[in-house]
Amino acid sequence: MQHSASDQPAALDSIDRKIVAALARDARLSMRAIAELVHISRTSAHTRVQNLVRRGVITGFGAQIDRKSLGLHVSALVVVKIGDVSWAVIASKLAELPFVEKAQAVSGDIDIILTVSAPDHEQLSQAILRDIHSMPGVISTRSHLILEEIAGHSPGETPDIWR
């Protein structure tokens, strides 16, 4: 569920923010572990997590995957400039291509940033030149190889910074 600018979800209290932070660090936490971390009962923890899901604060639970262990040894950010086409249409087509992990709309003189991972440079190059750059509506692409990646804070991991 996505919220529009006019759709103001209810503010999270400190316990909800602590739950979100704990689940951002480890989505496999049991209700017992969550309850112990935030000093509430398991029933309250369960109810709060369900409310966070229902309200769209928590949109899913997933694993963090190491690309290299899957055989995806090279990754790039691909900056895409599009012509007079619908962003939503072309972004969804780009996101369906093999090796494309994510498509993001951005502001400024570019339109889309793609995260692309492939087994090797040759397949990455083919994905960019053959699949992305030649897609109707794409005017230009610029690729930036990801040399190293260091994780920062995921949303909700630092619960007491915002209010």
Side-chain angles (χ1 to χ4, degrees), residues 87-110:
W87 178 89
V89 170
I90 198 162
S92 66
K93 286 181 182 177
L94 288 167
E96 291 175 2
L97 293 173
F99 304 127
V100 174
E101 294 179 24
K102 186 187 318 182
Q104 297 175 299
V106 294
S107 63
D109 63 343
I110 57 174

mmCIF file with all atom_site columns, all heavy atoms in Angstrom, residues 87-110:
data_model
loop_
_atom_site.group_PDB
_atom_site.id
_atom_site.type_symbol
_atom_site.label_atom_id
_atom_site.label_alt_id
_atom_site.label_comp_id
_atom_site.label_asym_id
_atom_site.label_entity_id
_atom_site.label_seq_id
_atom_site.pdbx_PDB_ins_code
_atom_site.Cartn_x
_atom_site.Cartn_y
_atom_site.Cartn_z
_atom_site.occupancy
_atom_site.B_iso_or_equiv
_atom_site.pdbx_formal_charge
_atom_site.auth_seq_id
_atom_site.auth_comp_id
_atom_site.auth_asym_id
_atom_site.auth_atom_id
_atom_site.pdbx_PDB_model_num
ATOM 1   N N   . TRP A 1 87  ? 6.186  7.062   -17.926 1.00 0.00 ? 87  TRP A N   1
ATOM 2   C CA  . TRP A 1 87  ? 7.191  6.496   -17.022 1.00 0.00 ? 87  TRP A CA  1
ATOM 3   C C   . TRP A 1 87  ? 6.723  5.154   -16.491 1.00 0.00 ? 87  TRP A C   1
ATOM 4   O O   . TRP A 1 87  ? 7.488  4.191   -16.479 1.00 0.00 ? 87  TRP A O   1
ATOM 5   C CB  . TRP A 1 87  ? 7.469  7.432   -15.839 1.00 0.00 ? 87  TRP A CB  1
ATOM 6   C CG  . TRP A 1 87  ? 8.471  6.811   -14.913 1.00 0.00 ? 87  TRP A CG  1
ATOM 7   C CD1 . TRP A 1 87  ? 9.817  6.934   -14.999 1.00 0.00 ? 87  TRP A CD1 1
ATOM 8   C CD2 . TRP A 1 87  ? 8.229  5.927   -13.821 1.00 0.00 ? 87  TRP A CD2 1
ATOM 9   N NE1 . TRP A 1 87  ? 10.434 6.177   -14.025 1.00 0.00 ? 87  TRP A NE1 1
ATOM 10  C CE2 . TRP A 1 87  ? 9.469  5.547   -13.283 1.00 0.00 ? 87  TRP A CE2 1
ATOM 11  C CE3 . TRP A 1 87  ? 7.080  5.400   -13.238 1.00 0.00 ? 87  TRP A CE3 1
ATOM 12  C CZ2 . TRP A 1 87  ? 9.597  4.679   -12.207 1.00 0.00 ? 87  TRP A CZ2 1
ATOM 13  C CZ3 . TRP A 1 87  ? 7.214  4.532   -12.157 1.00 0.00 ? 87  TRP A CZ3 1
ATOM 14  C CH2 . TRP A 1 87  ? 8.467  4.188   -11.655 1.00 0.00 ? 87  TRP A CH2 1
ATOM 15  N N   . ALA A 1 88  ? 5.496  5.064   -16.058 1.00 0.00 ? 88  ALA A N   1
ATOM 16  C CA  . ALA A 1 88  ? 4.994  3.828   -15.449 1.00 0.00 ? 88  ALA A CA  1
ATOM 17  C C   . ALA A 1 88  ? 5.063  2.662   -16.421 1.00 0.00 ? 88  ALA A C   1
ATOM 18  O O   . ALA A 1 88  ? 5.434  1.549   -16.043 1.00 0.00 ? 88  ALA A O   1
ATOM 19  C CB  . ALA A 1 88  ? 3.562  4.033   -14.949 1.00 0.00 ? 88  ALA A CB  1
ATOM 20  N N   . VAL A 1 89  ? 4.716  2.901   -17.673 1.00 0.00 ? 89  VAL A N   1
ATOM 21  C CA  . VAL A 1 89  ? 4.724  1.833   -18.668 1.00 0.00 ? 89  VAL A CA  1
ATOM 22  C C   . VAL A 1 89  ? 6.149  1.355   -18.937 1.00 0.00 ? 89  VAL A C   1
ATOM 23  O O   . VAL A 1 89  ? 6.442  0.167   -18.884 1.00 0.00 ? 89  VAL A O   1
ATOM 24  C CB  . VAL A 1 89  ? 4.034  2.293   -19.979 1.00 0.00 ? 89  VAL A CB  1
ATOM 25  C CG1 . VAL A 1 89  ? 4.243  1.283   -21.093 1.00 0.00 ? 89  VAL A CG1 1
ATOM 26  C CG2 . VAL A 1 89  ? 2.555  2.535   -19.731 1.00 0.00 ? 89  VAL A CG2 1
ATOM 27  N N   . ILE A 1 90  ? 7.050  2.286   -19.217 1.00 0.00 ? 90  ILE A N   1
ATOM 28  C CA  . ILE A 1 90  ? 8.413  1.879   -19.556 1.00 0.00 ? 90  ILE A CA  1
ATOM 29  C C   . ILE A 1 90  ? 9.155  1.332   -18.337 1.00 0.00 ? 90  ILE A C   1
ATOM 30  O O   . ILE A 1 90  ? 9.931  0.378   -18.447 1.00 0.00 ? 90  ILE A O   1
ATOM 31  C CB  . ILE A 1 90  ? 9.210  3.009   -20.251 1.00 0.00 ? 90  ILE A CB  1
ATOM 32  C CG1 . ILE A 1 90  ? 10.414 2.413   -20.975 1.00 0.00 ? 90  ILE A CG1 1
ATOM 33  C CG2 . ILE A 1 90  ? 9.613  4.092   -19.285 1.00 0.00 ? 90  ILE A CG2 1
ATOM 34  C CD1 . ILE A 1 90  ? 11.009 3.300   -22.024 1.00 0.00 ? 90  ILE A CD1 1
ATOM 35  N N   . ALA A 1 91  ? 8.909  1.883   -17.158 1.00 0.00 ? 91  ALA A N   1
ATOM 36  C CA  . ALA A 1 91  ? 9.570  1.378   -15.950 1.00 0.00 ? 91  ALA A CA  1
ATOM 37  C C   . ALA A 1 91  ? 9.148  -0.058  -15.669 1.00 0.00 ? 91  ALA A C   1
ATOM 38  O O   . ALA A 1 91  ? 9.973  -0.894  -15.300 1.00 0.00 ? 91  ALA A O   1
ATOM 39  C CB  . ALA A 1 91  ? 9.264  2.272   -14.756 1.00 0.00 ? 91  ALA A CB  1
ATOM 40  N N   . SER A 1 92  ? 7.861  -0.367  -15.855 1.00 0.00 ? 92  SER A N   1
ATOM 41  C CA  . SER A 1 92  ? 7.420  -1.742  -15.608 1.00 0.00 ? 92  SER A CA  1
ATOM 42  C C   . SER A 1 92  ? 8.015  -2.696  -16.638 1.00 0.00 ? 92  SER A C   1
ATOM 43  O O   . SER A 1 92  ? 8.381  -3.826  -16.309 1.00 0.00 ? 92  SER A O   1
ATOM 44  C CB  . SER A 1 92  ? 5.901  -1.843  -15.574 1.00 0.00 ? 92  SER A CB  1
ATOM 45  O OG  . SER A 1 92  ? 5.351  -1.555  -16.829 1.00 0.00 ? 92  SER A OG  1
ATOM 46  N N   . LYS A 1 93  ? 8.168  -2.254  -17.881 1.00 0.00 ? 93  LYS A N   1
ATOM 47  C CA  . LYS A 1 93  ? 8.811  -3.096  -18.908 1.00 0.00 ? 93  LYS A CA  1
ATOM 48  C C   . LYS A 1 93  ? 10.287 -3.306  -18.575 1.00 0.00 ? 93  LYS A C   1
ATOM 49  O O   . LYS A 1 93  ? 10.805 -4.409  -18.728 1.00 0.00 ? 93  LYS A O   1
ATOM 50  C CB  . LYS A 1 93  ? 8.662  -2.462  -20.293 1.00 0.00 ? 93  LYS A CB  1
ATOM 51  C CG  . LYS A 1 93  ? 7.271  -2.570  -20.857 1.00 0.00 ? 93  LYS A CG  1
ATOM 52  C CD  . LYS A 1 93  ? 7.199  -1.941  -22.235 1.00 0.00 ? 93  LYS A CD  1
ATOM 53  C CE  . LYS A 1 93  ? 5.784  -1.997  -22.776 1.00 0.00 ? 93  LYS A CE  1
ATOM 54  N NZ  . LYS A 1 93  ? 5.671  -1.322  -24.080 1.00 0.00 ? 93  LYS A NZ  1
ATOM 55  N N   . LEU A 1 94  ? 10.962 -2.246  -18.151 1.00 0.00 ? 94  LEU A N   1
ATOM 56  C CA  . LEU A 1 94  ? 12.374 -2.371  -17.782 1.00 0.00 ? 94  LEU A CA  1
ATOM 57  C C   . LEU A 1 94  ? 12.545 -3.295  -16.576 1.00 0.00 ? 94  LEU A C   1
ATOM 58  O O   . LEU A 1 94  ? 13.460 -4.118  -16.535 1.00 0.00 ? 94  LEU A O   1
ATOM 59  C CB  . LEU A 1 94  ? 12.972 -0.988  -17.485 1.00 0.00 ? 94  LEU A CB  1
ATOM 60  C CG  . LEU A 1 94  ? 13.196 -0.082  -18.688 1.00 0.00 ? 94  LEU A CG  1
ATOM 61  C CD1 . LEU A 1 94  ? 13.474 1.349   -18.227 1.00 0.00 ? 94  LEU A CD1 1
ATOM 62  C CD2 . LEU A 1 94  ? 14.326 -0.602  -19.561 1.00 0.00 ? 94  LEU A CD2 1
ATOM 63  N N   . ALA A 1 95  ? 11.660 -3.186  -15.596 1.00 0.00 ? 95  ALA A N   1
ATOM 64  C CA  . ALA A 1 95  ? 11.762 -4.002  -14.386 1.00 0.00 ? 95  ALA A CA  1
ATOM 65  C C   . ALA A 1 95  ? 11.546 -5.485  -14.674 1.00 0.00 ? 95  ALA A C   1
ATOM 66  O O   . ALA A 1 95  ? 11.996 -6.331  -13.905 1.00 0.00 ? 95  ALA A O   1
ATOM 67  C CB  . ALA A 1 95  ? 10.759 -3.509  -13.340 1.00 0.00 ? 95  ALA A CB  1
ATOM 68  N N   . GLU A 1 96  ? 10.888 -5.806  -15.774 1.00 0.00 ? 96  GLU A N   1
ATOM 69  C CA  . GLU A 1 96  ? 10.656 -7.207  -16.145 1.00 0.00 ? 96  GLU A CA  1
ATOM 70  C C   . GLU A 1 96  ? 11.846 -7.840  -16.852 1.00 0.00 ? 96  GLU A C   1
ATOM 71  O O   . GLU A 1 96  ? 11.880 -9.060  -17.025 1.00 0.00 ? 96  GLU A O   1
ATOM 72  C CB  . GLU A 1 96  ? 9.413  -7.312  -17.036 1.00 0.00 ? 96  GLU A CB  1
ATOM 73  C CG  . GLU A 1 96  ? 8.121  -7.011  -16.313 1.00 0.00 ? 96  GLU A CG  1
ATOM 74  C CD  . GLU A 1 96  ? 6.911  -7.001  -17.245 1.00 0.00 ? 96  GLU A CD  1
ATOM 75  O OE1 . GLU A 1 96  ? 7.066  -7.272  -18.455 1.00 0.00 ? 96  GLU A OE1 1
ATOM 76  O OE2 . GLU A 1 96  ? 5.810  -6.707  -16.750 1.00 0.00 ? 96  GLU A OE2 1
ATOM 77  N N   . LEU A 1 97  ? 12.815 -7.047  -17.280 1.00 0.00 ? 97  LEU A N   1
ATOM 78  C CA  . LEU A 1 97  ? 13.959 -7.591  -18.014 1.00 0.00 ? 97  LEU A CA  1
ATOM 79  C C   . LEU A 1 97  ? 14.835 -8.459  -17.118 1.00 0.00 ? 97  LEU A C   1
ATOM 80  O O   . LEU A 1 97  ? 14.954 -8.201  -15.915 1.00 0.00 ? 97  LEU A O   1
ATOM 81  C CB  . LEU A 1 97  ? 14.814 -6.442  -18.580 1.00 0.00 ? 97  LEU A CB  1
ATOM 82  C CG  . LEU A 1 97  ? 14.173 -5.598  -19.677 1.00 0.00 ? 97  LEU A CG  1
ATOM 83  C CD1 . LEU A 1 97  ? 15.072 -4.417  -20.005 1.00 0.00 ? 97  LEU A CD1 1
ATOM 84  C CD2 . LEU A 1 97  ? 13.905 -6.445  -20.912 1.00 0.00 ? 97  LEU A CD2 1
ATOM 85  N N   . PRO A 1 98  ? 15.466 -9.473  -17.709 1.00 0.00 ? 98  PRO A N   1
ATOM 86  C CA  . PRO A 1 98  ? 16.399 -10.291 -16.928 1.00 0.00 ? 98  PRO A CA  1
ATOM 87  C C   . PRO A 1 98  ? 17.505 -9.424  -16.327 1.00 0.00 ? 98  PRO A C   1
ATOM 88  O O   . PRO A 1 98  ? 17.981 -8.487  -16.973 1.00 0.00 ? 98  PRO A O   1
ATOM 89  C CB  . PRO A 1 98  ? 16.988 -11.254 -17.962 1.00 0.00 ? 98  PRO A CB  1
ATOM 90  C CG  . PRO A 1 98  ? 16.022 -11.254 -19.095 1.00 0.00 ? 98  PRO A CG  1
ATOM 91  C CD  . PRO A 1 98  ? 15.368 -9.895  -19.089 1.00 0.00 ? 98  PRO A CD  1
ATOM 92  N N   . PHE A 1 99  ? 17.882 -9.721  -15.119 1.00 0.00 ? 99  PHE A N   1
ATOM 93  C CA  . PHE A 1 99  ? 18.964 -9.079  -14.372 1.00 0.00 ? 99  PHE A CA  1
ATOM 94  C C   . PHE A 1 99  ? 18.610 -7.711  -13.795 1.00 0.00 ? 99  PHE A C   1
ATOM 95  O O   . PHE A 1 99  ? 19.388 -7.138  -13.045 1.00 0.00 ? 99  PHE A O   1
ATOM 96  C CB  . PHE A 1 99  ? 20.262 -8.970  -15.198 1.00 0.00 ? 99  PHE A CB  1
ATOM 97  C CG  . PHE A 1 99  ? 20.755 -10.277 -15.734 1.00 0.00 ? 99  PHE A CG  1
ATOM 98  C CD1 . PHE A 1 99  ? 21.024 -10.429 -17.082 1.00 0.00 ? 99  PHE A CD1 1
ATOM 99  C CD2 . PHE A 1 99  ? 20.967 -11.358 -14.899 1.00 0.00 ? 99  PHE A CD2 1
ATOM 100 C CE1 . PHE A 1 99  ? 21.501 -11.633 -17.588 1.00 0.00 ? 99  PHE A CE1 1
ATOM 101 C CE2 . PHE A 1 99  ? 21.429 -12.575 -15.385 1.00 0.00 ? 99  PHE A CE2 1
ATOM 102 C CZ  . PHE A 1 99  ? 21.697 -12.702 -16.742 1.00 0.00 ? 99  PHE A CZ  1
ATOM 103 N N   . VAL A 1 100 ? 17.440 -7.137  -14.110 1.00 0.00 ? 100 VAL A N   1
ATOM 104 C CA  . VAL A 1 100 ? 17.050 -5.846  -13.540 1.00 0.00 ? 100 VAL A CA  1
ATOM 105 C C   . VAL A 1 100 ? 16.409 -6.107  -12.181 1.00 0.00 ? 100 VAL A C   1
ATOM 106 O O   . VAL A 1 100 ? 15.408 -6.796  -12.075 1.00 0.00 ? 100 VAL A O   1
ATOM 107 C CB  . VAL A 1 100 ? 16.082 -5.069  -14.458 1.00 0.00 ? 100 VAL A CB  1
ATOM 108 C CG1 . VAL A 1 100 ? 15.584 -3.797  -13.773 1.00 0.00 ? 100 VAL A CG1 1
ATOM 109 C CG2 . VAL A 1 100 ? 16.772 -4.726  -15.777 1.00 0.00 ? 100 VAL A CG2 1
ATOM 110 N N   . GLU A 1 101 ? 17.020 -5.551  -11.124 1.00 0.00 ? 101 GLU A N   1
ATOM 111 C CA  . GLU A 1 101 ? 16.526 -5.737  -9.765  1.00 0.00 ? 101 GLU A CA  1
ATOM 112 C C   . GLU A 1 101 ? 15.521 -4.674  -9.355  1.00 0.00 ? 101 GLU A C   1
ATOM 113 O O   . GLU A 1 101 ? 14.596 -4.942  -8.600  1.00 0.00 ? 101 GLU A O   1
ATOM 114 C CB  . GLU A 1 101 ? 17.692 -5.699  -8.766  1.00 0.00 ? 101 GLU A CB  1
ATOM 115 C CG  . GLU A 1 101 ? 18.647 -6.839  -8.902  1.00 0.00 ? 101 GLU A CG  1
ATOM 116 C CD  . GLU A 1 101 ? 19.790 -6.726  -7.910  1.00 0.00 ? 101 GLU A CD  1
ATOM 117 O OE1 . GLU A 1 101 ? 19.644 -6.065  -6.861  1.00 0.00 ? 101 GLU A OE1 1
ATOM 118 O OE2 . GLU A 1 101 ? 20.848 -7.304  -8.201  1.00 0.00 ? 101 GLU A OE2 1
ATOM 119 N N   . LYS A 1 102 ? 15.737 -3.451  -9.814  1.00 0.00 ? 102 LYS A N   1
ATOM 120 C CA  . LYS A 1 102 ? 14.912 -2.343  -9.334  1.00 0.00 ? 102 LYS A CA  1
ATOM 121 C C   . LYS A 1 102 ? 14.905 -1.222  -10.360 1.00 0.00 ? 102 LYS A C   1
ATOM 122 O O   . LYS A 1 102 ? 15.910 -0.973  -11.023 1.00 0.00 ? 102 LYS A O   1
ATOM 123 C CB  . LYS A 1 102 ? 15.522 -1.827  -8.024  1.00 0.00 ? 102 LYS A CB  1
ATOM 124 C CG  . LYS A 1 102 ? 14.714 -0.774  -7.324  1.00 0.00 ? 102 LYS A CG  1
ATOM 125 C CD  . LYS A 1 102 ? 15.407 -0.135  -6.120  1.00 0.00 ? 102 LYS A CD  1
ATOM 126 C CE  . LYS A 1 102 ? 16.153 -1.078  -5.232  1.00 0.00 ? 102 LYS A CE  1
ATOM 127 N NZ  . LYS A 1 102 ? 16.755 -0.394  -4.071  1.00 0.00 ? 102 LYS A NZ  1
ATOM 128 N N   . ALA A 1 103 ? 13.768 -0.554  -10.490 1.00 0.00 ? 103 ALA A N   1
ATOM 129 C CA  . ALA A 1 103 ? 13.642 0.648   -11.320 1.00 0.00 ? 103 ALA A CA  1
ATOM 130 C C   . ALA A 1 103 ? 13.104 1.761   -10.428 1.00 0.00 ? 103 ALA A C   1
ATOM 131 O O   . ALA A 1 103 ? 12.114 1.569   -9.729  1.00 0.00 ? 103 ALA A O   1
ATOM 132 C CB  . ALA A 1 103 ? 12.701 0.404   -12.490 1.00 0.00 ? 103 ALA A CB  1
ATOM 133 N N   . GLN A 1 104 ? 13.772 2.907   -10.449 1.00 0.00 ? 104 GLN A N   1
ATOM 134 C CA  . GLN A 1 104 ? 13.363 4.035   -9.607  1.00 0.00 ? 104 GLN A CA  1
ATOM 135 C C   . GLN A 1 104 ? 13.241 5.296   -10.441 1.00 0.00 ? 104 GLN A C   1
ATOM 136 O O   . GLN A 1 104 ? 14.131 5.621   -11.227 1.00 0.00 ? 104 GLN A O   1
ATOM 137 C CB  . GLN A 1 104 ? 14.399 4.288   -8.508  1.00 0.00 ? 104 GLN A CB  1
ATOM 138 C CG  . GLN A 1 104 ? 14.546 3.135   -7.540  1.00 0.00 ? 104 GLN A CG  1
ATOM 139 C CD  . GLN A 1 104 ? 15.661 3.386   -6.553  1.00 0.00 ? 104 GLN A CD  1
ATOM 140 O OE1 . GLN A 1 104 ? 16.814 3.530   -6.935  1.00 0.00 ? 104 GLN A OE1 1
ATOM 141 N NE2 . GLN A 1 104 ? 15.317 3.421   -5.269  1.00 0.00 ? 104 GLN A NE2 1
ATOM 142 N N   . ALA A 1 105 ? 12.138 6.022   -10.245 1.00 0.00 ? 105 ALA A N   1
ATOM 143 C CA  . ALA A 1 105 ? 11.979 7.340   -10.866 1.00 0.00 ? 105 ALA A CA  1
ATOM 144 C C   . ALA A 1 105 ? 12.801 8.321   -10.057 1.00 0.00 ? 105 ALA A C   1
ATOM 145 O O   . ALA A 1 105 ? 12.803 8.275   -8.820  1.00 0.00 ? 105 ALA A O   1
ATOM 146 C CB  . ALA A 1 105 ? 10.514 7.755   -10.859 1.00 0.00 ? 105 ALA A CB  1
ATOM 147 N N   . VAL A 1 106 ? 13.497 9.206   -10.756 1.00 0.00 ? 106 VAL A N   1
ATOM 148 C CA  . VAL A 1 106 ? 14.320 10.202  -10.069 1.00 0.00 ? 106 VAL A CA  1
ATOM 149 C C   . VAL A 1 106 ? 14.082 11.580  -10.669 1.00 0.00 ? 106 VAL A C   1
ATOM 150 O O   . VAL A 1 106 ? 13.590 11.708  -11.779 1.00 0.00 ? 106 VAL A O   1
ATOM 151 C CB  . VAL A 1 106 ? 15.826 9.839   -10.133 1.00 0.00 ? 106 VAL A CB  1
ATOM 152 C CG1 . VAL A 1 106 ? 16.118 8.574   -9.362  1.00 0.00 ? 106 VAL A CG1 1
ATOM 153 C CG2 . VAL A 1 106 ? 16.299 9.686   -11.564 1.00 0.00 ? 106 VAL A CG2 1
ATOM 154 N N   . SER A 1 107 ? 14.452 12.596  -9.915  1.00 0.00 ? 107 SER A N   1
ATOM 155 C CA  . SER A 1 107 ? 14.297 13.966  -10.399 1.00 0.00 ? 107 SER A CA  1
ATOM 156 C C   . SER A 1 107 ? 15.573 14.400  -11.108 1.00 0.00 ? 107 SER A C   1
ATOM 157 O O   . SER A 1 107 ? 16.589 13.717  -11.041 1.00 0.00 ? 107 SER A O   1
ATOM 158 C CB  . SER A 1 107 ? 14.000 14.907  -9.234  1.00 0.00 ? 107 SER A CB  1
ATOM 159 O OG  . SER A 1 107 ? 15.091 14.921  -8.340  1.00 0.00 ? 107 SER A OG  1
ATOM 160 N N   . GLY A 1 108 ? 15.497 15.517  -11.768 1.00 0.00 ? 108 GLY A N   1
ATOM 161 C CA  . GLY A 1 108 ? 16.672 16.061  -12.438 1.00 0.00 ? 108 GLY A CA  1
ATOM 162 C C   . GLY A 1 108 ? 16.641 15.778  -13.929 1.00 0.00 ? 108 GLY A C   1
ATOM 163 O O   . GLY A 1 108 ? 15.584 15.590  -14.514 1.00 0.00 ? 108 GLY A O   1
ATOM 164 N N   . ASP A 1 109 ? 17.819 15.721  -14.535 1.00 0.00 ? 109 ASP A N   1
ATOM 165 C CA  . ASP A 1 109 ? 17.901 15.573  -15.992 1.00 0.00 ? 109 ASP A CA  1
ATOM 166 C C   . ASP A 1 109 ? 17.861 14.124  -16.464 1.00 0.00 ? 109 ASP A C   1
ATOM 167 O O   . ASP A 1 109 ? 18.037 13.863  -17.644 1.00 0.00 ? 109 ASP A O   1
ATOM 168 C CB  . ASP A 1 109 ? 19.148 16.274  -16.519 1.00 0.00 ? 109 ASP A CB  1
ATOM 169 C CG  . ASP A 1 109 ? 20.431 15.657  -15.991 1.00 0.00 ? 109 ASP A CG  1
ATOM 170 O OD1 . ASP A 1 109 ? 20.373 14.908  -14.997 1.00 0.00 ? 109 ASP A OD1 1
ATOM 171 O OD2 . ASP A 1 109 ? 21.494 15.922  -16.578 1.00 0.00 ? 109 ASP A OD2 1
ATOM 172 N N   . ILE A 1 110 ? 17.642 13.202  -15.559 1.00 0.00 ? 110 ILE A N   1
ATOM 173 C CA  . ILE A 1 110 ? 17.462 11.800  -15.934 1.00 0.00 ? 110 ILE A CA  1
ATOM 174 C C   . ILE A 1 110 ? 16.094 11.354  -15.450 1.00 0.00 ? 110 ILE A C   1
ATOM 175 O O   . ILE A 1 110 ? 15.438 12.063  -14.688 1.00 0.00 ? 110 ILE A O   1
ATOM 176 C CB  . ILE A 1 110 ? 18.575 10.905  -15.341 1.00 0.00 ? 110 ILE A CB  1
ATOM 177 C CG1 . ILE A 1 110 ? 18.620 11.045  -13.817 1.00 0.00 ? 110 ILE A CG1 1
ATOM 178 C CG2 . ILE A 1 110 ? 19.905 11.217  -15.967 1.00 0.00 ? 110 ILE A CG2 1
ATOM 179 C CD1 . ILE A 1 110 ? 19.581 10.118  -13.138 1.00 0.00 ? 110 ILE A CD1 1
#
